Amino acid sequence: MARRDESAPDEVPNYAGRLLAAIWSLTIASAVFLTLRMYCRLTRNRALWWDDWLLIASWITVLISTALLTEGTKWGIGLHFDDMELEKMPTMSLLSYIAGFSTILGAAWSKTSFAVTLLRIADERWTKWLIWFIIISVNVVLGVSGLILWISCWPVTKLWHYDMEGTCWPKEIAERYQTFTSVYSGTLDIVLAILPWKIIWALTINKREKIGVMVAMSMGVFAGIVAFLKIISLGDISDSSCNPQATTVDIKVFGTAEPAISIIAASIPVLRAFIHKHTTQQTRSATFVHLGPYPRSRSTASAKKESDEVLVSSSSRISHTPVDGQNLPLENLEEAGTSASRALGR
């Protein structure tokens, strides 16, 4: 934590350098993965869909937060409360609040983006209902978190003008709800990482490909780990020994890391499909999952097996004509799914 080092009273510890190195690394890394995802989409003549736009919006919030925190280091972010210039504190605090709100939005939208991707490949009703529950609940829970950020003091301007007349909630309230938010958010990340295993496991495609797909679509578990790690630094919110805005460097880093890692995780499956297509031109097999309902005219088991077999066999002679009105999320099977549908008379 960015706490004052009492053993070195003559030194003025400044954690701004560590903060900037962390948040800019995360912002740039997520930008690279997001750009590659968009490149894969557009070079395949695929129109961007809702999951892509949500991911772009999420990255914009990360960039806004990083830019605000960078500006905030000029006003005292990274310094201990006792070492700050009093006249700079209102600006520093306001920048911190806006940056924190931006990362909350980014976390909600990045998780929603991946959930929307799963919604498009889920083939069972209960799975779709579960995904819808995740989409709604994560936006409600994180939305309330962002709201609490702004209504914890009245008038609102007291949030960054500490000597102003007004009232504020006890800091423990914000800390407890943020702890709940981190636990809930991290749990949903893990659920979203596990769901692809359920969707893909029943397919009859090559086992090696199946494992590769499931691993690629489970990278969101790292965003969940970050959400849990953020809990460690939440104690600074209610730290009565100093102003919390001066000692929450770790929270700012974890807050940026959660949406940034979610963006990277959501981009990896698309990149894997794109790379796999160009490295297995001669011996391609279906790389991802069936992207539509199985035929209902036959028994479920036989229809599923036949559909998967057609999916595998057709992948070596795929047409590169885009599917009108669709932008299916997993690149190889966008085309394989179309060929399979035609072969089955759908």
Side-chain angles (χ1 to χ4, degrees):
M1 286 186 211
R3 298 182 183 276
R4 186 180 179 84
D5 186 359
E6 300 296 342
S7 64
D10 296 331
E11 263 184 58
V12 178
N14 191 336
Y15 300 91
R18 187 182 74 180
L19 173 66
L20 293 178
I23 61 178
W24 276 109
S25 297
L26 290 164
T27 303
I28 292 171
S30 59
V32 169
F33 276 85
L34 181 60
T35 301
L36 290 173
R37 174 187 170 117
M38 297 303 110
Y39 172 80
C40 294
R41 290 282 199 233
L42 298 176
T43 55
R44 301 287 303 282
N45 296 321
R46 305 298 187 215
L48 301 184
W49 209 64
W50 284 108
D51 50 355
D52 299 301
W53 291 114
L54 284 168
L55 216 57
I56 292 171
S58 176
W59 183 81
I60 290 174
T61 65
V62 173
L63 179 62
I64 291 172
S65 173
T66 300
L68 291 172
L69 292 177
T70 301
E71 177 64 20
T73 59
K74 302 175 184 177
W75 296 87
I77 292 180
L79 292 172
H80 189 275
F81 177 67
D82 294 339
D83 299 319
M84 291 182 185
E85 300 177 34
L86 293 178
E87 62 274 13
K88 292 184 176 181
M89 287 179 57
T91 302
M92 177 275 298
S93 297
L94 179 59
L95 292 171
S96 294
Y97 276 109
I98 299 175
F101 183 71
S102 295
T103 56
I104 290 173
L105 290 179
W109 292 344
S110 60
K111 298 174 200 299
T112 301
S113 171
F114 189 68
V116 169
T117 300
L118 292 183
L119 190 64
R120 297 163 63 199
I121 65 175
D123 59 352
E124 293 185 11
R125 179 173 296 181
W126 76 265
T127 307
K128 291 180 181 290
W129 279 110
L130 175 60
I131 296 171
W132 272 115
F133 170 78
I134 291 173
I135 291 173
I136 295 171
S137 65
V138 76
N139 281 278
V140 170
V141 170
L142 289 175
V144 171
S145 177
L147 181 63
I148 288 176
L149 198 66
W150 293 108
I151 66 172
S152 57
C153 285
W154 186 260
V156 175
T157 50
K158 183 172 173 57
L159 287 167
W160 53 89
H161 289 287
Y162 308 111
D163 55 352
M164 185 178 182
E165 291 288 333
T167 59
C168 292
W169 296 356
K171 294 294 182 182
E172 288 78 6
I173 294 178
E175 179 189 349
R176 289 168 185 168
Y177 188 81
Q178 293 295 339
T179 300
F180 162 73
T181 300
S182 295
V183 171
Y184 191 77
S185 178
T187 301
L188 290 188
D189 279 322
I190 293 174
V191 171
L192 288 173
I194 293 174
L195 272 178
W197 289 66
K198 187 271 170 193
I199 296 171
I200 298 167
W201 187 256
L203 296 182
T204 57
I205 60 177
N206 180 278
K207 185 176 181 180
R208 181 178 176 182
E209 295 298 338
K210 186 186 296 185
I211 293 175
V213 173
M214 291 189 293
V215 171
M217 296 194 72
S218 301
M219 293 295 103
V221 72
F222 292 104
I225 292 173
V226 170
F228 288 122
L229 289 175
K230 187 166 62 175
I231 299 173
I232 301 173
S233 60
L234 288 176
D236 282 350
I237 295 177
S238 59
D239 188 351
S240 60
S241 65
C242 57
N243 185 288
Q245 290 299 321
T247 59
T248 53
V249 169
D250 289 344
I251 296 177
K252 292 174 173 61
V253 172
F254 286 129
T256 304
E258 188 174 359
I261 293 176
S262 292
I263 291 169
I264 293 172
S267 300
I268 287 176
V270 176
L271 302 186
R272 182 190 184 279
F274 184 80
I275 293 171
H276 182 83
K277 174 183 180 298
H278 289 279
T279 55
T280 57
Q281 290 292 333
Q282 302 303 319
T283 57
R284 290 168 56 193
S285 63
T287 310
F288 279 101
V289 301
H290 183 66
L291 297 174
Y294 295 108
R296 301 301 180 187
S297 58
R298 304 175 178 85
S299 66
T300 302
S302 61
K304 174 180 176 298
K305 182 177 180 181
E306 181 177 352
S307 178
D308 291 339
E309 288 173 351
V310 173
L311 195 60
V312 174
S313 62
S314 64
S315 61
S316 61
R317 48 184 174 79
I318 291 171
S319 168
H320 292 276
T321 304
V323 181
D324 293 336
Q326 296 183 10
N327 178 29
L328 299 174
L330 306 174
E331 302 294 335
N332 289 44
L333 291 196
E334 290 177 351
E335 299 167 346
T338 304
S339 298
S341 298
R342 292 172 180 169
L344 291 172
R346 287 185 284 129

